Coordinates of all heavy atoms in Angstrom, one line a residue:
M95 N 52.3 -24.0 -5.7 CA 53.5 -24.2 -6.5 C 53.2 -24.1 -8.0 O 52.2 -24.6 -8.4 CB 54.1 -25.6 -6.2 CG 55.6 -25.8 -6.5 SD 56.2 -27.3 -5.9 CE 55.9 -28.4 -7.3
A96 N 54.0 -23.3 -8.7 CA 53.7 -23.1 -10.1 C 54.0 -24.4 -10.9 O 54.9 -25.2 -10.6 CB 54.6 -22.0 -10.6
F97 N 53.2 -24.6 -11.9 CA 53.3 -25.8 -12.7 C 54.0 -25.5 -14.0 O 53.3 -25.1 -14.9 CB 51.9 -26.5 -12.9 CG 52.0 -27.9 -13.1 CD1 52.2 -28.8 -12.0 CD2 51.9 -28.5 -14.3 CE1 52.2 -30.1 -12.1 CE2 51.9 -29.9 -14.5 CZ 52.1 -30.7 -13.4
C98 N 55.3 -25.5 -14.0 CA 56.0 -25.2 -15.2 C 56.9 -26.3 -15.7 O 57.1 -27.3 -14.9 CB 56.8 -23.9 -15.1 SG 58.0 -24.0 -13.7
V99 N 57.5 -26.2 -16.8 CA 58.5 -27.2 -17.3 C 59.7 -27.2 -16.4 O 60.3 -26.2 -16.2 CB 58.9 -26.9 -18.8 CG1 59.7 -28.0 -19.3 CG2 57.6 -26.7 -19.6
P100 N 60.0 -28.3 -15.8 CA 61.1 -28.4 -14.9 C 62.5 -28.5 -15.6 O 63.1 -29.5 -15.6 CB 60.9 -29.7 -14.1 CG 60.1 -30.5 -15.0 CD 59.4 -29.6 -16.0
V101 N 62.9 -27.4 -16.2 CA 64.2 -27.4 -16.9 C 65.2 -26.7 -16.1 O 65.0 -25.6 -15.6 CB 64.0 -26.7 -18.3 CG1 65.4 -26.6 -19.0 CG2 63.0 -27.4 -19.2
Q102 N 66.3 -27.4 -15.8 CA 67.3 -26.8 -15.0 C 68.6 -26.8 -15.8 O 68.9 -27.7 -16.6 CB 67.6 -27.7 -13.8 CG 66.7 -27.3 -12.6 CD 67.2 -28.1 -11.4 OE1 67.8 -29.1 -11.4 NE2 66.8 -27.5 -10.2
C103 N 69.4 -25.7 -15.6 CA 70.7 -25.7 -16.2 C 71.6 -26.8 -15.6 O 71.6 -26.9 -14.3 CB 71.3 -24.3 -15.9 SG 73.1 -24.2 -16.5
P104 N 72.3 -27.6 -16.4 CA 73.1 -28.7 -15.8 C 74.3 -28.2 -15.0 O 74.9 -28.9 -14.3 CB 73.5 -29.5 -17.1 CG 73.4 -28.5 -18.2 CD 72.3 -27.6 -17.8
D105 N 74.7 -26.9 -15.2 CA 75.8 -26.4 -14.5 C 75.5 -25.7 -13.2 O 76.0 -26.0 -12.1 CB 76.7 -25.5 -15.4 CG 77.5 -26.3 -16.3 OD1 78.1 -27.3 -15.9 OD2 77.5 -26.0 -17.5
C106 N 74.6 -24.7 -13.3 CA 74.3 -23.9 -12.1 C 73.0 -24.3 -11.4 O 72.6 -23.9 -10.4 CB 74.2 -22.4 -12.4 SG 72.9 -21.9 -13.5
H107 N 72.3 -25.3 -12.1 CA 71.0 -25.8 -11.6 C 70.0 -24.7 -11.4 O 69.0 -24.9 -10.7 CB 71.2 -26.6 -10.3 CG 72.1 -27.8 -10.5 ND1 71.8 -28.9 -11.2 CD2 73.4 -27.9 -10.1 CE1 72.8 -29.7 -11.2 NE2 73.8 -29.2 -10.6
G108 N 70.2 -23.6 -12.1 CA 69.2 -22.6 -12.0 C 68.0 -22.9 -13.0 O 68.2 -23.6 -14.0
T109 N 66.9 -22.4 -12.7 CA 65.7 -22.6 -13.5 C 65.4 -21.4 -14.4 O 64.4 -21.4 -15.0 CB 64.5 -23.0 -12.7 OG1 64.3 -22.0 -11.7 CG2 64.7 -24.4 -12.1
N110 N 66.3 -20.5 -14.4 CA 66.1 -19.3 -15.2 C 66.6 -19.6 -16.6 O 67.7 -19.2 -17.0 CB 66.9 -18.1 -14.6 CG 66.5 -16.8 -15.2 OD1 65.6 -16.7 -16.0 ND2 67.2 -15.7 -14.9
V111 N 65.8 -20.4 -17.3 CA 66.2 -21.0 -18.6 C 65.2 -20.7 -19.6 O 64.0 -20.7 -19.4 CB 66.4 -22.5 -18.4 CG1 66.4 -23.2 -19.7 CG2 67.7 -22.8 -17.6
I112 N 65.6 -20.3 -20.8 CA 64.7 -20.1 -21.9 C 65.0 -21.0 -23.1 O 66.1 -21.5 -23.2 CB 64.7 -18.6 -22.4 CG1 66.2 -18.3 -22.9 CG2 64.3 -17.7 -21.3 CD1 66.2 -17.0 -23.7
K113 N 63.9 -21.3 -23.9 CA 64.1 -22.1 -25.0 C 65.0 -21.4 -26.0 O 64.9 -20.2 -26.2 CB 62.7 -22.4 -25.6 CG 62.0 -23.5 -24.8 CD 60.7 -23.9 -25.5 CE 60.1 -25.0 -24.7 NZ 58.8 -25.5 -25.3
H114 N 65.8 -22.2 -26.7 CA 66.8 -21.6 -27.6 C 66.8 -22.4 -28.9 O 67.9 -22.9 -29.3 CB 68.2 -21.6 -26.9 CG 69.2 -20.7 -27.6 ND1 69.1 -19.4 -27.8 CD2 70.3 -21.1 -28.3 CE1 70.1 -18.9 -28.5 NE2 70.9 -19.9 -28.8
G115 N 65.7 -22.6 -29.5 CA 65.7 -23.3 -30.8 C 65.9 -24.7 -30.7 O 65.9 -25.3 -29.6
K116 N 66.2 -25.4 -31.8 CA 66.4 -26.8 -31.8 C 67.8 -27.1 -32.4 O 68.3 -26.4 -33.3 CB 65.3 -27.5 -32.5 CG 64.0 -27.4 -31.8 CD 63.1 -28.5 -32.1 CE 61.9 -28.4 -31.1 NZ 60.8 -29.2 -31.6
S117 N 68.4 -28.2 -31.9 CA 69.7 -28.7 -32.5 C 69.4 -29.4 -33.8 O 68.2 -29.7 -34.2 CB 70.4 -29.5 -31.5 OG 69.6 -30.7 -31.3
S118 N 70.5 -29.8 -34.5 CA 70.3 -30.4 -35.8 C 69.6 -31.7 -35.8 O 68.9 -32.1 -36.7 CB 71.7 -30.6 -36.5 OG 72.5 -31.2 -35.6
N119 N 69.6 -32.4 -34.7 CA 68.9 -33.7 -34.6 C 67.5 -33.5 -34.0 O 66.9 -34.5 -33.5 CB 69.7 -34.7 -33.8 CG 70.1 -34.3 -32.4 OD1 69.7 -33.2 -32.0 ND2 71.0 -35.0 -31.8
G120 N 67.1 -32.3 -33.9 CA 65.7 -32.0 -33.5 C 65.5 -31.9 -32.0 O 64.3 -31.8 -31.5
K121 N 66.6 -31.9 -31.2 CA 66.4 -31.8 -29.8 C 66.2 -30.3 -29.4 O 66.8 -29.5 -30.0 CB 67.7 -32.3 -29.1 CG 67.6 -33.8 -28.8 CD 68.8 -34.3 -28.0 CE 68.7 -35.8 -27.9 NZ 70.1 -36.4 -27.7
Q122 N 65.4 -30.2 -28.4 CA 65.1 -28.8 -27.9 C 66.4 -28.3 -27.2 O 67.0 -29.0 -26.4 CB 64.0 -28.8 -26.9 CG 63.7 -27.5 -26.3 CD 63.1 -26.5 -27.3 OE1 62.1 -26.8 -27.9 NE2 63.7 -25.3 -27.4
R123 N 66.8 -27.1 -27.6 CA 68.0 -26.5 -26.9 C 67.5 -25.4 -25.9 O 66.5 -24.8 -26.1 CB 68.9 -25.9 -27.9 CG 69.7 -27.0 -28.7 CD 70.9 -26.5 -29.4 NE 71.9 -26.1 -28.4 CZ 72.8 -26.9 -27.8 NH1 72.7 -28.2 -28.0 NH2 73.6 -26.5 -26.9
Y124 N 68.2 -25.2 -24.9 CA 67.9 -24.2 -23.9 C 69.1 -23.3 -23.6 O 70.2 -23.7 -23.9 CB 67.5 -24.9 -22.6 CG 66.3 -25.7 -22.7 CD1 66.4 -27.1 -23.0 CD2 65.0 -25.2 -22.6 CE1 65.3 -27.9 -23.1 CE2 63.9 -26.0 -22.7 CZ 64.0 -27.3 -22.9 OH 62.9 -28.1 -23.1
R125 N 68.8 -22.1 -23.2 CA 69.8 -21.2 -22.9 C 69.7 -20.8 -21.4 O 68.6 -20.4 -20.9 CB 69.7 -19.9 -23.7 CG 70.9 -19.0 -23.7 CD 70.9 -18.2 -25.0 NE 70.0 -17.1 -24.9 CZ 70.3 -15.9 -24.4 NH1 71.5 -15.6 -24.0 NH2 69.4 -14.9 -24.3
C126 N 70.8 -20.8 -20.7 CA 70.8 -20.4 -19.3 C 70.9 -18.9 -19.2 O 71.7 -18.2 -19.9 CB 72.0 -21.0 -18.6 SG 72.1 -20.6 -16.8
C127 N 70.0 -18.3 -18.4 CA 70.0 -16.8 -18.3 C 70.8 -16.3 -17.0 O 70.8 -15.1 -16.7 CB 68.5 -16.3 -18.1 SG 67.6 -16.7 -19.6
N128 N 71.4 -17.2 -16.3 CA 72.2 -16.9 -15.2 C 73.5 -16.2 -15.6 O 74.3 -16.9 -16.3 CB 72.4 -18.1 -14.3 CG 73.2 -17.8 -13.0 OD1 73.6 -16.6 -12.8 ND2 73.4 -18.8 -12.2
R129 N 73.8 -15.0 -15.3 CA 74.9 -14.3 -15.8 C 76.2 -14.8 -15.2 O 77.3 -14.7 -15.8 CB 74.9 -12.8 -15.5 CG 74.0 -12.0 -16.5 CD 73.6 -10.7 -15.9 NE 72.6 -10.1 -16.8 CZ 72.9 -9.0 -17.5 NH1 74.1 -8.5 -17.5 NH2 72.0 -8.5 -18.3
D130 N 76.1 -15.5 -14.1 CA 77.3 -16.0 -13.4 C 77.7 -17.4 -13.9 O 78.7 -18.0 -13.6 CB 77.1 -16.1 -11.9 CG 76.9 -14.7 -11.3 OD1 77.5 -13.7 -11.8 OD2 76.1 -14.6 -10.4
C131 N 76.8 -17.9 -14.8 CA 77.0 -19.3 -15.2 C 77.8 -19.3 -16.6 O 77.4 -18.5 -17.5 CB 75.7 -20.0 -15.4 SG 75.8 -21.6 -16.0
F132 N 78.8 -20.1 -16.7 CA 79.6 -20.1 -18.0 C 78.9 -20.8 -19.1 O 79.2 -20.6 -20.3 CB 81.0 -20.6 -17.7 CG 81.0 -22.1 -17.3 CD1 81.0 -23.0 -18.3 CD2 81.1 -22.5 -16.0 CE1 81.0 -24.4 -18.0 CE2 81.1 -23.8 -15.7 CZ 81.1 -24.8 -16.7
R133 N 77.9 -21.6 -18.8 CA 77.3 -22.4 -19.8 C 76.3 -21.4 -20.6 O 75.6 -20.7 -20.0 CB 76.5 -23.6 -19.3 CG 75.8 -24.4 -20.4 CD 75.3 -25.6 -19.8 NE 76.3 -26.6 -19.3 CZ 76.8 -27.5 -20.1 NH1 76.3 -27.7 -21.3 NH2 77.7 -28.3 -19.6
V134 N 76.3 -21.5 -21.9 CA 75.4 -20.7 -22.7 C 74.2 -21.5 -23.1 O 73.0 -21.2 -22.8 CB 76.1 -20.1 -23.9 CG1 75.2 -19.2 -24.7 CG2 77.3 -19.3 -23.4
T135 N 74.4 -22.6 -23.9 CA 73.3 -23.4 -24.3 C 73.5 -24.8 -23.9 O 74.6 -25.3 -23.7 CB 73.1 -23.3 -25.8 OG1 74.2 -23.9 -26.5 CG2 72.8 -21.9 -26.3
F136 N 72.4 -25.5 -23.8 CA 72.4 -27.0 -23.5 C 71.2 -27.6 -24.0 O 70.2 -27.0 -24.2 CB 72.6 -27.2 -22.0 CG 71.5 -26.7 -21.1 CD1 70.4 -27.5 -20.8 CD2 71.5 -25.3 -20.7 CE1 69.4 -27.0 -20.0 CE2 70.5 -24.8 -20.0 CZ 69.4 -25.7 -19.6
S137 N 71.2 -28.9 -24.1 CA 70.0 -29.7 -24.5 C 69.8 -30.8 -23.5 O 70.7 -31.2 -22.8 CB 70.1 -30.2 -25.9 OG 71.1 -31.2 -25.9
L138 N 68.5 -31.2 -23.4 CA 68.2 -32.2 -22.4 C 68.0 -33.6 -23.1 O 67.4 -33.6 -24.2 CB 67.0 -31.8 -21.6 CG 67.1 -30.6 -20.7 CD1 65.8 -30.2 -20.1 CD2 68.1 -30.8 -19.6
N139 N 68.4 -34.6 -22.5 CA 68.1 -35.9 -23.0 C 66.8 -36.5 -22.4 O 66.8 -37.5 -21.8 CB 69.2 -36.9 -22.8 CG 70.4 -36.5 -23.6 OD1 70.3 -36.3 -24.8 ND2 71.6 -36.5 -23.0
L140 N 65.8 -35.7 -22.6 CA 64.5 -36.1 -22.0 C 63.5 -36.5 -23.0 O 62.3 -36.4 -22.8 CB 63.9 -35.0 -21.1 CG 64.7 -34.7 -19.8 CD1 64.2 -33.5 -19.1 CD2 64.7 -35.9 -18.9
D141 N 63.9 -36.9 -24.2 CA 63.0 -37.2 -25.3 C 62.2 -38.4 -24.9 O 61.0 -38.5 -25.1 CB 63.8 -37.5 -26.6 CG 64.6 -36.3 -27.0 OD1 64.0 -35.3 -27.1 OD2 65.8 -36.4 -27.3
Y142 N 62.8 -39.4 -24.3 CA 62.1 -40.6 -23.9 C 62.4 -40.9 -22.4 O 63.0 -41.9 -22.1 CB 62.4 -41.8 -24.7 CG 62.1 -41.6 -26.2 CD1 63.1 -41.3 -27.1 CD2 60.8 -41.6 -26.7 CE1 62.9 -41.1 -28.4 CE2 60.5 -41.4 -28.0 CZ 61.6 -41.1 -28.9 OH 61.3 -40.9 -30.2
P143 N 61.9 -40.1 -21.5 CA 62.3 -40.3 -20.1 C 61.7 -41.7 -19.6 O 62.3 -42.2 -18.6 CB 61.6 -39.1 -19.3 CG 60.6 -38.6 -20.3 CD 61.1 -38.9 -21.7
G144 N 60.7 -42.2 -20.2 CA 60.1 -43.4 -19.7 C 61.0 -44.6 -20.0 O 60.8 -45.7 -19.4
R145 N 62.0 -44.4 -20.9 CA 62.9 -45.5 -21.2 C 64.1 -45.6 -20.2 O 64.8 -46.5 -20.3 CB 63.4 -45.4 -22.6 CG 62.2 -45.6 -23.6 CD 62.7 -45.6 -25.0 NE 61.5 -45.7 -25.9 CZ 61.6 -45.8 -27.2 NH1 62.8 -45.9 -27.7 NH2 60.6 -45.9 -27.9
D146 N 64.2 -44.6 -19.5 CA 65.3 -44.5 -18.5 C 65.1 -45.5 -17.4 O 64.1 -45.7 -16.9 CB 65.4 -43.1 -18.0 CG 66.6 -42.9 -17.1 OD1 67.7 -43.0 -17.5 OD2 66.4 -42.7 -15.8
A147 N 66.2 -46.2 -17.1 CA 66.1 -47.3 -16.1 C 65.7 -46.7 -14.7 O 64.9 -47.4 -14.0 CB 67.5 -48.0 -15.9
K148 N 66.2 -45.6 -14.4 CA 65.8 -45.0 -13.1 C 64.3 -44.7 -13.0 O 63.7 -44.8 -12.0 CB 66.6 -43.7 -12.9 CG 67.9 -43.9 -12.1 CD 68.6 -42.6 -11.8 CE 70.0 -42.9 -11.3 NZ 70.8 -41.7 -11.3
T149 N 63.8 -44.2 -14.2 CA 62.4 -43.9 -14.3 C 61.5 -45.2 -14.0 O 60.6 -45.2 -13.3 CB 62.0 -43.3 -15.6 OG1 62.9 -42.2 -15.8 CG2 60.6 -42.8 -15.7
K150 N 62.0 -46.3 -14.7 CA 61.3 -47.6 -14.5 C 61.3 -48.0 -13.1 O 60.3 -48.4 -12.5 CB 62.0 -48.6 -15.3 CG 61.7 -48.5 -16.8 CD 62.4 -49.6 -17.6 CE 62.3 -49.4 -19.1 NZ 63.0 -50.4 -19.8
Q151 N 62.4 -47.8 -12.4 CA 62.6 -48.1 -11.0 C 61.6 -47.3 -10.2 O 60.9 -47.9 -9.3 CB 64.0 -47.9 -10.5 CG 64.3 -48.3 -9.1 CD 64.2 -49.8 -9.0 OE1 64.5 -50.6 -9.9 NE2 63.6 -50.3 -7.8
K152 N 61.5 -46.0 -10.5 CA 60.6 -45.1 -9.8 C 59.1 -45.6 -10.0 O 58.3 -45.5 -9.1 CB 60.8 -43.7 -10.3 CG 61.8 -42.9 -9.5 CD 61.2 -42.2 -8.3 CE 62.2 -41.8 -7.3 NZ 63.2 -40.8 -7.8
I153 N 58.8 -46.0 -11.2 CA 57.4 -46.4 -11.5 C 57.1 -47.6 -10.6 O 56.0 -47.6 -10.0 CB 57.3 -46.8 -13.0 CG1 57.4 -45.6 -13.9 CG2 56.0 -47.5 -13.3 CD1 57.5 -45.9 -15.4
V154 N 58.0 -48.5 -10.5 CA 57.7 -49.7 -9.7 C 57.6 -49.3 -8.2 O 56.6 -49.7 -7.5 CB 58.9 -50.7 -9.8 CG1 58.7 -51.9 -8.9 CG2 59.1 -51.2 -11.2
E155 N 58.5 -48.5 -7.7 CA 58.4 -48.0 -6.3 C 57.1 -47.3 -6.0 O 56.5 -47.6 -5.0 CB 59.6 -47.1 -6.1 CG 60.9 -47.8 -5.7 CD 62.0 -46.8 -5.6 OE1 61.8 -45.6 -5.3 OE2 63.2 -47.2 -5.8
M156 N 56.7 -46.4 -6.9 CA 55.5 -45.6 -6.7 C 54.3 -46.5 -6.7 O 53.4 -46.3 -6.0 CB 55.4 -44.5 -7.7 CG 56.5 -43.4 -7.4 SD 56.2 -42.0 -8.4 CE 54.7 -41.3 -7.7
K157 N 54.3 -47.5 -7.7 CA 53.2 -48.4 -7.8 C 53.1 -49.2 -6.5 O 52.0 -49.4 -6.0 CB 53.4 -49.3 -9.0 CG 52.2 -50.1 -9.3 CD 51.0 -49.3 -9.8 CE 49.7 -50.1 -9.9 NZ 48.5 -49.3 -9.9
L158 N 54.2 -49.7 -6.0 CA 54.2 -50.5 -4.8 C 53.7 -49.6 -3.6 O 53.2 -50.2 -2.6 CB 55.6 -51.1 -4.5 CG 56.0 -52.2 -5.5 CD1 57.5 -52.5 -5.2 CD2 55.1 -53.4 -5.4
N159 N 54.0 -48.3 -3.6 CA 53.5 -47.4 -2.6 C 52.1 -47.0 -2.7 O 51.6 -46.2 -1.9 CB 54.4 -46.2 -2.5 CG 55.8 -46.5 -1.9 OD1 55.9 -47.4 -1.1 ND2 56.8 -45.8 -2.4
G160 N 51.4 -47.6 -3.7 CA 50.0 -47.4 -3.8 C 49.6 -46.1 -4.6 O 48.4 -45.7 -4.6
N161 N 50.5 -45.6 -5.4 CA 50.2 -44.5 -6.2 C 49.5 -44.9 -7.5 O 49.7 -46.0 -8.0 CB 51.5 -43.7 -6.7 CG 52.1 -43.0 -5.5 OD1 51.6 -41.9 -5.1 ND2 53.2 -43.5 -5.0
T162 N 48.6 -44.1 -8.0 CA 47.9 -44.4 -9.2 C 48.7 -44.1 -10.4 O 49.7 -43.3 -10.3 CB 46.6 -43.6 -9.3 OG1 46.9 -42.2 -9.4 CG2 45.7 -43.9 -8.1
V163 N 48.3 -44.6 -11.6 CA 49.0 -44.3 -12.8 C 49.1 -42.8 -13.1 O 50.1 -42.3 -13.5 CB 48.3 -45.0 -14.0 CG1 48.9 -44.6 -15.3 CG2 48.5 -46.6 -13.9
R164 N 48.0 -42.2 -12.8 CA 47.9 -40.7 -13.0 C 48.9 -40.0 -12.1 O 49.6 -39.0 -12.6 CB 46.5 -40.2 -12.7 CG 46.1 -38.9 -13.4 CD 44.7 -38.7 -13.2 NE 43.9 -39.4 -14.2 CZ 43.5 -38.9 -15.4 NH1 43.9 -37.7 -15.7 NH2 42.8 -39.5 -16.2
E165 N 49.0 -40.4 -10.9 CA 50.0 -39.7 -10.0 C 51.4 -40.0 -10.4 O 52.2 -39.1 -10.4 CB 49.8 -40.3 -8.5 CG 48.5 -39.7 -7.9 CD 48.1 -40.5 -6.6 OE1 48.5 -41.6 -6.4 OE2 47.4 -39.9 -5.8
I166 N 51.7 -41.2 -10.8 CA 53.0 -41.6 -11.3 C 53.4 -40.7 -12.5 O 54.5 -40.1 -12.5 CB 53.1 -43.1 -11.6 CG1 52.9 -43.9 -10.3 CG2 54.5 -43.4 -12.2 CD1 52.7 -45.4 -10.6
S167 N 52.5 -40.6 -13.4 CA 52.8 -39.9 -14.6 C 53.0 -38.4 -14.3 O 53.9 -37.8 -14.9 CB 51.7 -40.0 -15.7 OG 50.7 -39.1 -15.4
R168 N 52.3 -37.9 -13.4 CA 52.5 -36.5 -13.0 C 53.8 -36.2 -12.3 O 54.5 -35.3 -12.7 CB 51.3 -36.0 -12.1 CG 51.1 -34.5 -12.1 CD 50.1 -34.1 -11.1 NE 50.4 -34.6 -9.8 CZ 49.5 -35.0 -8.9 NH1 48.2 -35.0 -9.2 NH2 49.8 -35.5 -7.7
V169 N 54.1 -37.1 -11.4 CA 55.3 -36.9 -10.6 C 56.6 -37.1 -11.5 O 57.6 -36.3 -11.4 CB 55.4 -37.8 -9.4 CG1 56.7 -37.8 -8.7 CG2 54.3 -37.5 -8.4
L170 N 56.6 -38.1 -12.3 CA 57.7 -38.4 -13.1 C 57.8 -37.7 -14.5 O 58.7 -37.8 -15.2 CB 57.8 -39.9 -13.4 CG 57.9 -40.8 -12.2 CD1 58.0 -42.3 -12.6 CD2 59.1 -40.4 -11.3
N171 N 56.7 -36.9 -14.7 CA 56.6 -36.1 -15.9 C 56.7 -37.0 -17.2 O 57.4 -36.7 -18.1 CB 57.7 -35.1 -15.9 CG 57.4 -33.9 -16.9 OD1 56.3 -33.7 -17.2 ND2 58.4 -33.2 -17.4
I172 N 56.0 -38.1 -17.2 CA 55.8 -38.9 -18.3 C 54.3 -39.2 -18.6 O 53.5 -38.9 -17.7 CB 56.6 -40.3 -18.2 CG1 56.1 -41.0 -16.9 CG2 58.1 -40.0 -18.2 CD1 56.8 -42.3 -16.6
S173 N 54.0 -39.7 -19.8 CA 52.6 -39.8 -20.1 C 52.0 -41.1 -19.4 O 52.8 -42.0 -19.0 CB 52.4 -40.0 -21.6 OG 52.9 -41.3 -22.0
T174 N 50.7 -41.1 -19.1 CA 50.1 -42.2 -18.5 C 50.3 -43.5 -19.4 O 50.4 -44.6 -18.8 CB 48.6 -42.0 -18.3 OG1 48.0 -41.5 -19.5 CG2 48.4 -40.9 -17.2
T175 N 50.3 -43.3 -20.7 CA 50.5 -44.4 -21.6 C 51.8 -45.1 -21.3 O 51.9 -46.3 -21.3 CB 50.5 -43.9 -23.1 OG1 49.5 -42.9 -23.2 CG2 50.3 -45.0 -24.0
T176 N 52.9 -44.3 -21.1 CA 54.2 -44.8 -20.8 C 54.2 -45.6 -19.5 O 54.7 -46.7 -19.4 CB 55.2 -43.7 -20.7 OG1 55.1 -42.9 -21.9 CG2 56.7 -44.2 -20.6
V177 N 53.5 -45.0 -18.5 CA 53.5 -45.7 -17.2 C 52.8 -47.1 -17.3 O 53.3 -48.1 -16.9 CB 52.7 -44.8 -16.2 CG1 52.5 -45.6 -14.8 CG2 53.4 -43.5 -15.9
V178 N 51.6 -47.1 -18.0 CA 50.9 -48.3 -18.2 C 51.7 -49.3 -18.9 O 51.8 -50.5 -18.6 CB 49.5 -48.0 -18.9 CG1 48.9 -49.4 -19.3 CG2 48.6 -47.2 -18.1
K179 N 52.4 -48.9 -20.0 CA 53.2 -49.8 -20.8 C 54.3 -50.4 -20.0 O 54.6 -51.6 -20.0 CB 53.9 -49.0 -21.9 CG 53.4 -49.4 -23.3 CD 54.3 -48.8 -24.4 CE 53.6 -47.8 -25.2 NZ 54.4 -47.0 -26.1
E180 N 55.0 -49.6 -19.2 CA 56.1 -50.1 -18.3 C 55.6 -51.0 -17.3 O 56.2 -52.1 -17.0 CB 56.8 -48.9 -17.7 CG 57.6 -48.0 -18.6 CD 58.7 -48.8 -19.4 OE1 59.2 -49.8 -18.9 OE2 58.9 -48.5 -20.6
L181 N 54.4 -50.7 -16.7 CA 53.9 -51.6 -15.7 C 53.5 -53.0 -16.3 O 53.7 -54.0 -15.6 CB 52.7 -50.9 -15.0 CG 53.0 -49.8 -14.0 CD1 51.7 -49.1 -13.6 CD2 53.8 -50.3 -12.8
K182 N 53.0 -52.9 -17.5 CA 52.6 -54.2 -18.1 C 53.9 -55.0 -18.4 O 53.9 -56.2 -18.2 CB 51.9 -53.9 -19.5 CG 50.4 -53.7 -19.3 CD 49.7 -53.5 -20.6 CE 48.3 -53.2 -20.4 NZ 47.6 -52.7 -21.6
K183 N 54.9 -54.4 -18.8 CA 56.2 -55.1 -19.1 C 56.7 -55.7 -17.8 O 57.2 -56.9 -17.8 CB 57.3 -54.1 -19.6 CG 57.4 -54.0 -21.1 CD 58.6 -53.2 -21.5 CE 58.2 -52.1 -22.4 NZ 59.3 -51.1 -22.5
I184 N 56.7 -54.9 -16.7 CA 57.2 -55.4 -15.4 C 56.4 -56.6 -15.0 O 57.0 -57.6 -14.6 CB 57.1 -54.3 -14.4 CG1 58.1 -53.2 -14.8 CG2 57.4 -54.8 -13.0 CD1 57.8 -51.8 -14.2
V185 N 55.1 -56.6 -15.1 CA 54.2 -57.7 -14.7 C 54.6 -58.9 -15.5 O 54.7 -60.0 -15.0 CB 52.7 -57.3 -14.9 CG1 51.8 -58.6 -14.7 CG2 52.3 -56.3 -13.9
K186 N 54.7 -58.7 -16.8 CA 55.1 -59.8 -17.7 C 56.4 -60.5 -17.3 O 56.5 -61.7 -17.3 CB 55.2 -59.3 -19.2 CG 54.1 -59.8 -20.1 CD 54.5 -59.4 -21.5 CE 53.2 -59.2 -22.3 NZ 53.5 -58.6 -23.6
N187 N 57.4 -59.7 -17.0 CA 58.7 -60.2 -16.7 C 58.7 -61.0 -15.4 O 59.5 -61.8 -15.2 CB 59.7 -59.0 -16.6 CG 60.0 -58.4 -17.9 OD1 59.8 -59.1 -18.9 ND2 60.6 -57.2 -17.9
K188 N 57.8 -60.6 -14.5 CA 57.8 -61.3 -13.2 C 57.0 -62.6 -13.2 O 57.0 -63.4 -12.3 CB 57.2 -60.3 -12.1 CG 58.2 -59.3 -11.7 CD 57.7 -58.5 -10.5 CE 58.8 -57.5 -10.1 NZ 58.4 -56.6 -9.0
M189 N 56.2 -62.8 -14.3 CA 55.4 -64.0 -14.3 C 56.0 -65.2 -15.1 O 57.1 -65.0 -15.7 CB 54.0 -63.7 -14.9 CG 53.1 -63.1 -13.8 SD 51.7 -62.2 -14.4 CE 50.8 -63.6 -15.1
Ligands
LIG451 ZN1 73.5 -22.1 -15.8

């Protein structure tokens, strides 16, 4: 399996997507290359995926399933630092 940036068009879910400069607030913009898709450009809200509640939930689930920090960071596409930080927060909250 190729290891590339998992960017998908939010409309056609195609991965035939290219970088298209940055928006005024510094977010990466992308352009869908699918000719049948009406969407031209879009940006992703993935600046801080580690802060997303679903990501936190996944971190906990994966940790409980015996995955290592490195595996979690790779699967969820977040840094190991973020994983460790979130796990520490979770441990603190439970004690
Ligand atoms: Zn598209």
Side-chain angles (χ1 to χ4, degrees):
M95 204 170 88
F97 208 78
C98 58
V99 185
V101 178
Q102 272 191 339
C103 172
D105 282 313
C106 67
H107 300 287
T109 50
N110 193 6
V111 162
I112 57 165
K113 283 187 178 180
H114 191 67
K116 295 208 169 163
S117 62
S118 51
N119 57 8
K121 271 185 188 156
Q122 178 69 54
R123 289 197 67 80
Y124 298 92
R125 193 158 78 91
C126 182
C127 298
N128 182 357
R129 279 163 188 252
D130 299 325
C131 179
F132 64 83
R133 183 173 291 267
V134 182
T135 64
F136 61 93
S137 62
L138 295 173
N139 288 315
L140 291 175
D141 298 308
Y142 301 105
R145 294 186 184 187
D146 183 67
K148 270 185 189 167
T149 307
K150 283 181 190 176
Q151 187 63 37
K152 272 270 164 63
I153 292 172
V154 178
E155 275 173 26
M156 289 189 71
K157 187 68 189 161
L158 289 174
N159 285 332
N161 289 284
T162 64
V163 168
R164 202 171 277 271
E165 284 166 340
I166 296 170
S167 85
R168 197 185 58 215
V169 171
L170 300 180
N171 201 23
I172 53 180
S173 71
T174 51
T175 319
T176 309
V177 176
V178 170
K179 243 192 246 169
E180 289 304 326
L181 285 173
K182 275 186 185 164
K183 263 192 239 165
I184 291 155
V185 170
K186 248 188 208 171
N187 289 341
K188 282 191 177 170
M189 278 162 71

